């Protein structure tokens, strides 16, 4: 047991950890600053979705995560109706007669997942020149996402984690399927052995392979654009997506602050978006080496070289932007740097429990608060590998959030049918350890990123602490991570633990100051009841009318009101202007 209690110095200020750098970048990139400009624009741009509405930011707009509460459930017919508006009474998803005893009677249980709403189920037709919105048609959806033949927006099968500090993970996604090795087109690293980049050499063009290490965020970023729950009509392709985006003016629908920390000097002073003379092609040309976009010759007859390489540009640019989203100035960082007064005595008690009676540092360790980060693995991976053969899956654990059969996590497959667990690929014994294991998430800014766990089944940090105090909800199935067992924590200790977790928030995140400032965005917030077809677009007779909310534009100096927490949203706190992102402002985008 004691081997898992990290020494005190195993936590610490994130300022001491250097940001991992992708290998081989200069081969592709001519201007790293422009790469970040391109990446930030792409990440926030609503034109990227097939519907001209869904951006990466749609599910990562709030402290890097998503705190929407209506039409956010998968498998909703299990316990909740389609388009359900979550309330405080719905959490936690599993309620026991004795909350401290995971063997006590079950009062309520749901296998639903609080994920993120994306697109309606639609089949891709074609892109429309000069338009963000693509042609396509509605397709009937499963009962989980439709009522009387009218479709609701589909929802992701897991909860959206924060993109802030995600650059520190060796592998991304809850199950680690976004590989550390970026191969230019898909998330799966070595499993994708194809040549995915088109290079101009000696008067012609030729395919070559891409192998960039420390690039899990690039691997991750090429997933959502072709995913028909998240951003795409079914059947869209990368060259088509590239052709659409390269011809568009960046962020044309959205206001950008002239004070934006990255985009400000390029913001259009007169109207929405970036300057009228800019297109995504011009930003790509500014950021990337000409060998990757100079030729008109691409795949087949109707794609240029730039269009053929769009996944490469997309992945590297968005990764470069997300690598700037580092929150290393929480009060906990200041405390670790020697400012003893930065944490209250209650928070310091919480820190002590986090390290000792709570057993939390067995997995949430290092300045990143996760064993799945580069620096944690460098520090401890070798020891662990010897101990249990799991070194390369370091930081993935089963803590008993749900039964293994509902979601195998690291025990599942990648898109090419290979085991996600790298240890299991070689060793059958490791396979069972991977079942139901998920990546240990960072706990930085966790106050702002509810609901919690891969299933979004806990609304408050108090509920999470109660979960750990009873040793998890589903201990059966074995292979629980180290330290997951019943712990006698008093109410005072639990409260202190929650107070400590809240000291991990960086005020720049809380108030959206640089680098966490951003363009305007509108997000769907469910559908009016009863679901009714939206008559305004004759192409989509099965799609329900949407409700939209504005996420207001913010520049480098941030907002005057702090972000609303998920808990506050459920309780209706903050709509009086005392919080930001209350999802109550009308969408100003036509
Ligand atoms: C419809 C909602 C949705 C959209 C759109 C979306 N994401 Fe996500 N994102 C998620 C969900 C859900 C997960 C977790 C999925 C999983 O782990 O299986 C996730 C995971 C991630 C992660 C991994 C973080 C971690 O801790 O493992 C990153 C990084 C990320 N998304 C960035 C992006 C980027 C970049 C885009 C656009 C290219 C994007 N997301 C679009 C919902 C979304
Ligand atoms: C055995 C390893 C392990 C230990 C010990 C552990 N955690 Fe975790 N923690 C995880 C994993 C893995 C997840 C994600 C699990 C999932 O969603 O299935 C997680 C998730 C969380 C989350 C939710 C974060 C989010 O973004 O959804 C919080 C909060 C948290 N842990 C706090 C704690 C606290 C407080 C303790 C000590 C009482 C603790 N953890 C002990 C591994 C651990």
């Amino acid at each position: 047991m004691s081997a898992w209690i990290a020494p005190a110095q195993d936590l610490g200020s994130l300022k001491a950890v250097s940001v991992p750098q992708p290998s081989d970048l200069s081969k592709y990139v001519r201007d790293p600053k422009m790469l970040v400009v391109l990446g930030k624009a792409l990440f926030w741009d609503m034109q990227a979705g097939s519907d001209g509405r869904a951006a990466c930011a749609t599910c990562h707009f709030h402290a890097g995560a998503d705190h929407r509460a209506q039409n956010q459930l998968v498998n909703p017919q299990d316990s909740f109706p389609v388009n359900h508006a979550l309330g405080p009474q719905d959490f936690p998803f599993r309620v026991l007669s004795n909350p401290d005893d995971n063997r006590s009677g079950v009062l309520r249980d749901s296998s639903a997942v609080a994920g993120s709403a994306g697109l309606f189920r639609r089949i891709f037709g074609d892109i429309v020149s000069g338009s963000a919105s693509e042609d396509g048609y509605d397709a009937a959806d499963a009962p989980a996402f439709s009522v009387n033949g009218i479709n609701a927006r589909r929802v992701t099968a897991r909860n959206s984690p924060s993109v802030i500090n995600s650059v520190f993970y060796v592998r991304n996604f809850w199950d680690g399927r976004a590989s550390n090795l970026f191969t230019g087109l898909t998330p799966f690293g070595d499993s994708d052995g194809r040549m995915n980049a088109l290079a101009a050499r000696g008067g012609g063009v030729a395919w070559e392979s891409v192998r960039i290490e420390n690039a899990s965020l690039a691997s991750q970023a090429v997933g959502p654009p072709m995913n028909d729950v998240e951003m795409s009509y079914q059947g869209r392709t990368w060259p088509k997506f590239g052709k659409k985006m390269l011809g568009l003016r960046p962020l044309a629908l959205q206001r950008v602050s002239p004070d934006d920390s990255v985009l400000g000097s390029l913001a259009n002073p007169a109207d929405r978006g970036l300057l009228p003379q800019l297109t995504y092609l011009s930003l790509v040309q500014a950021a990337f080496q000409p060998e990757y976009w100079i030729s008109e010759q691409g795949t087949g007859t109707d794609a240029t070289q730039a269009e053929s390489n769009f996944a490469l540009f997309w992945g590297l640019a968005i990764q470069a932007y997300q690598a700037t989203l580092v929150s290393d100035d929480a009060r906990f960082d200041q405390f670790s740097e020697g400012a003893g007064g930065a944490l209250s005595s209650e928070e310091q008690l919480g820190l002590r429990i986090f390290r000792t009676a709570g057993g939390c540092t067995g997995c949430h360790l290092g300045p990143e608060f996760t064993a799945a980060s580069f620096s944690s693995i460098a520090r401890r991976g070798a020891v662990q590998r010897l101990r249990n053969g799991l070194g390369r899956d370091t930081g993935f654990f089963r803590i008993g959030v749900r039964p293994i059969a509902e979601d195998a996590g690291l025990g599942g497959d990648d898109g090419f049918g290979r085991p996600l667990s790298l240890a299991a690929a070689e060793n059958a014994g490791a396979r069972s350890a991977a079942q139901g294991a998920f990546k240990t998430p960072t706990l930085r800014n966790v106050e702002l990123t509810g609901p919690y766990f891969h299933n979004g089944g806990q609304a408050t940090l108090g509920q999470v602490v109660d979960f750990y105090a009873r040793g998890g909800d589903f201990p059966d199935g074995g292979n629980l991570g180290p330290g997951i067992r019943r712990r006698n924590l008093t109410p005072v200790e639990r409260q202190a633990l929650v107070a400590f977790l809240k000291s991990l928030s960086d005020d720049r995140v809380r108030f959206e100051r640089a680098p966490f400032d951003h363009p305007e965005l509108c997000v769907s917030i469910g559908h009016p009841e009863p679901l009714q077809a939206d008559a305004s677009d004759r192409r989509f007779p099965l799609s329900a009318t949407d409700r939209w909310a504005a996420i207001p534009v913010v520049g480098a100096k941030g907002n005057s009101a702090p972000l609303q927490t998920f808990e506050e949203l459920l309780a209706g706190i903050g709509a009086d202007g005392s919080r930001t992102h209350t999802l109550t402002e009308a969408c100003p985008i036509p």
Side-chain angles (χ1 to χ4, degrees):
M1 181 62 238
S2 61
W4 290 100
I5 301 294
Q9 59 273 24
D10 249 12
L11 299 171
S13 170
L14 190 55
K15 293 192 192 86
V17 179
S18 54
V19 176
Q21 297 298 320
S23 65
D24 221 16
L25 214 50
S26 56
K27 177 175 176 196
Y28 305 99
V29 174
R30 54 151 57 154
D31 183 341
K33 267 205 165 121
M34 283 308 294
L35 191 67
V36 174
V37 168
L38 174 62
K40 185 167 185 179
L42 289 173
F43 184 91
W44 286 92
D45 201 328
M46 294 166 64
Q47 301 176 109
S50 284
D51 60 352
R53 282 289 178 277
C56 297
T58 299
C59 308
H60 298 288
F61 63 89
H62 189 78
D66 179 2
H67 80 323
R68 293 175 291 171
Q70 184 164 5
N71 191 38
Q72 292 277 87
L73 293 166
V74 177
N75 194 17
Q77 296 220 320
D78 163 27
S79 326
F80 303 102
V82 173
N83 191 38
H84 181 65
L86 286 162
Q89 71 286 353
D90 295 327
F91 292 92
F93 286 179
R94 183 175 177 84
V95 179
L96 300 161
S97 53
N98 175 2
D100 283 340
D101 179 1
N102 57 19
R103 309 252 173 219
S104 67
V106 178
L107 301 182
R108 186 179 77 207
D109 184 60
S110 171
S111 62
V113 171
S116 284
L119 263 59
F120 294 102
R121 177 160 190 241
R122 289 178 185 166
I123 312 298
F124 177 76
D126 207 345
I127 57 172
V128 181
S129 177
S131 164
S133 156
E134 299 165 13
D135 262 342
Y137 53 91
D138 276 336
D141 210 338
F145 299 124
S146 72
V147 181
N148 297 330
I150 302 298
N151 293 344
R153 281 176 187 271
R154 315 174 96 192
V155 179
T156 59
R158 292 187 183 134
N159 186 253
S160 297
S162 177
V163 298
I164 295 173
N165 303 321
S166 60
V167 66
F168 294 105
Y169 296 119
V170 177
R171 304 164 72 180
N172 266 284
F173 283 132
W174 284 107
D175 57 13
R177 72 189 181 285
S179 172
N180 181 51
L181 176 73
F182 180 50
T183 55
L185 185 65
T186 55
F188 310 114
D190 260 338
S191 291
D192 182 356
R194 296 171 294 185
M195 295 198 277
N196 291 326
L198 198 56
R201 300 260 148 73
V205 290
W207 289 103
E208 63 179 29
S209 60
V210 177
R211 298 185 73 79
I212 304 175
E213 301 273 355
N214 300 343
S216 167
L217 286 178
S219 297
Q220 190 286 326
V222 294
M226 297 304 131
N227 181 300
D228 61 28
V229 173
E230 293 178 314
M231 296 178 82
S232 168
Y233 296 164
Q234 283 174 26
R236 175 162 89 163
T237 62
W238 273 104
K240 288 282 186 193
F241 179 46
K243 187 184 284 295
K244 176 179 99 167
M245 294 304 288
L246 290 167
L248 293 173
R249 184 160 62 90
L251 295 160
L253 302 171
Q254 297 157 256
R255 261 178 253 278
V256 180
S257 171
D259 197 27
D260 186 287
S261 58
V262 172
L263 304 171
S265 63
L266 299 178
N268 184 353
D271 200 355
R272 297 162 186 279
L274 300 191
L275 294 167
Q277 66 270 30
L278 295 176
T279 61
Y280 275 115
L281 180 60
S282 59
L283 295 187
V284 162
Q285 291 175 339
F288 285 93
Q289 304 284 10
E291 292 95 296
Y292 293 94
W293 49 261
I294 195 85
S295 174
E296 287 302 310
Q297 203 185 329
T299 45
T301 47
D302 72 336
T304 64
Q305 188 193 14
E307 290 159 15
S308 304
N309 284 333
F310 193 65
L312 177 71
F313 303 147
W314 173 274
L316 292 180
I318 289 180
Q319 159 164 277
Y321 164 58
Q322 291 181 126
T324 67
L325 303 179
V326 170
S327 73
D328 57 8
D329 198 25
R331 285 189 289 111
F332 174 74
D333 296 296
Q334 296 159 10
F335 179 81
S336 303
E337 292 152 22
L343 295 189
S344 71
S345 54
E346 185 187 35
E347 290 161 346
Q348 292 186 39
L349 171 64
L351 168 58
R352 202 150 58 235
I353 293 159
F354 189 82
R355 282 177 166 147
T356 56
C360 312
T361 40
C363 308
H364 298 283
L365 62 116
E368 304 93 328
F369 285 81
T370 166
S373 72
F374 285 95
S375 80
S376 296
I377 288 175
R379 218 175 308 122
R380 297 170 56 97
V383 182
Q384 261 186 44
R385 191 172 306 136
L386 287 178
R387 190 174 295 148
N388 55 18
L390 274 177
R392 289 185 296 161
D393 298 332
T394 298
F396 289 73
F397 299 102
R398 188 170 111 73
I399 63 169
V401 171
R402 295 298 307 169
I404 293 167
E406 284 177 17
D407 190 336
L410 185 66
D413 282 355
D414 73 7
F416 289 79
R418 293 221 221 155
L420 283 171
S421 160
L422 302 175
E426 288 160 10
N427 170 0
R431 184 158 298 156
S432 70
Q435 294 295 319
F438 291 87
K439 191 184 68 189
T440 307
T442 179
L443 300 178
R444 289 180 172 274
N445 310 302
V446 73
E447 169 187 15
L448 305 168
T449 62
Y452 303 111
F453 294 143
H454 74 269
N455 73 331
Q458 314 279 345
T460 71
L461 290 172
Q463 289 169 358
V464 169
V465 167
D466 290 346
F467 165 96
Y468 280 109
R470 66 179 167 264
D473 277 349
F474 291 90
D476 296 330
N479 286 316
L480 283 180
I484 303 299
R485 58 175 168 78
R486 192 168 169 178
R487 289 168 187 276
N488 294 318
L489 298 175
T490 66
V492 168
E493 290 171 330
R494 293 183 199 200
Q495 217 177 322
L497 205 40
V498 169
F500 167 66
L501 292 172
K502 292 184 176 176
S503 79
L504 301 177
S505 301
D506 187 322
D507 268 355
R508 293 172 302 165
V509 174
R510 191 193 304 280
F511 292 96
E512 299 197 299
R513 298 180 195 132
F516 307 105
D517 55 343
H518 59 76
E520 172 182 59
L521 182 75
C522 288
V523 293
S524 69
I525 48 165
H527 310 286
E529 286 284 347
L531 263 56
Q532 245 156 6
D534 182 352
S536 69
D537 194 334
R538 306 268 296 275
R539 292 176 299 175
F540 304 117
L542 304 185
S543 299
T545 308
D546 279 305
R547 288 168 55 228
W548 293 94
I551 304 300
V553 60
V554 53
K557 293 194 196 71
N559 304 304
S560 51
L563 290 179
Q564 184 187 46
T565 66
F566 184 67
E567 191 176 351
E568 289 169 342
L569 178 89
L570 295 186
I573 296 169
D576 57 356
S578 61
R579 299 290 185 277
T580 302
H581 293 187
T582 52
L583 307 180
T584 48
E585 277 182 58
C587 171
I589 296 174

